[in-house]
Structure formats: structure tokens, C-alpha cells
């Protein structure tokens, strides 16, 4: 298959893809990171669809990888300090949410 045919096939697939995540430049301004903005966008999306009346959701790293293609290093480090999850947690009421989730170590 030629490169132009491969590109055309890819673009046709994108046209029918229903897994588009909207990009909001304002979230990059708020979080200071593309990764954190992507993560926050997805958390906002799911919190509005939560069955929990307070909007709480549960996502594993595997869930976030499937949805965003962000690996553990990107979620935890992002090449910046603080990491995206903690950067988001430092904003307004999200901090209490992140601080109340117990951590788990799997070996």
C-alpha cells in the first residue's frame, strides 16, 4: 500500500471515529500542561456522566491509557513539577478529591 493510500485510509477512519477528545486551550492555561489539560478534560467529561450525585468517578491508569494514551510516567511526571494529577488537584475543590483517594502499591 502506498503512503498516500495509507494516509487516505487513516483520514477516512478518523472521520468515523467517535472517540474524539476535545482540545480546550483554556485548560492548558489553567494547568500549565497539555497532559494535565487532557486529563482534566476527560475527568470533567466523566464526572458529568457519573451516577454519583457528587460527580465522583473511578478511573485506573489502565482506563486512562485506553482513553487518552497517556502512560504512567506522563500522568505522574510530565517533565514538570508538580505532575499533572497533583497540578489539577491543586486547583480549587479538586484537591480534596485527590487527597481522599487512598494509594495502592501493586508488586
Amino acid at each position: 500500500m502506498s503512503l498516500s493510500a495509507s494516509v487516505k485510509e487513516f483520514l477516512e477512519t478518523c472521520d468515523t471515529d467517535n472517540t474524539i477528545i476535545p482540545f480546550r486551550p483554556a485548560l492548558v492555561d489553567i494547568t500549565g500542561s497539555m497532559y494535565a489539560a487532557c486529563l482534566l478534560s476527560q475527568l470533567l467529561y466523566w464526572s458529568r456522566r457519573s451516577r454519583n450525585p457528587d460527580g465522583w468517578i473511578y478511573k485506573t491508569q489502565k482506563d486512562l491509557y485506553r482513553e487518552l494514551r497517556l502512560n504512567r510516567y506522563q500522568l505522574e511526571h510530565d517533565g514538570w513539577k508538580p505532575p499533572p494529577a497533583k497540578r489539577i488537584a491543586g486547583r480549587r475543590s479538586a484537591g480534596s478529591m485527590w487527597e481522599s483517594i487512598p494509594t495502592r502499591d501493586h508488586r
Side-chain angles (χ1 to χ4, degrees), residues 4-70:
S4 61
S6 297
V7 170
K8 183 178 180 181
E9 182 181 335
F10 173 75
L11 293 174
E12 288 171 355
T13 302
C14 288
D15 286 342
T16 60
D17 185 3
N18 63 354
T19 60
I20 306 279
I21 298 172
F23 173 73
R24 294 181 176 90
L27 294 181
V28 176
D29 296 339
I30 291 168
T31 63
S33 160
M34 290 286 290
Y35 294 145
C38 190
L39 175 61
L40 180 56
S41 178
Q42 198 68 353
L43 292 175
L44 292 171
Y45 171 85
W46 283 114
S47 69
R48 288 187 296 245
R49 287 154 180 80
S50 173
R51 292 184 182 147
N52 182 291
D54 294 325
W56 287 85
I57 60 169
Y58 176 81
K59 291 285 183 181
T60 64
Q61 285 181 341
K62 189 180 277 189
D63 294 333
L64 292 172
Y65 181 79
R66 272 195 305 268
E67 294 174 18
L68 305 172
R69 295 302 191 264
L70 295 177

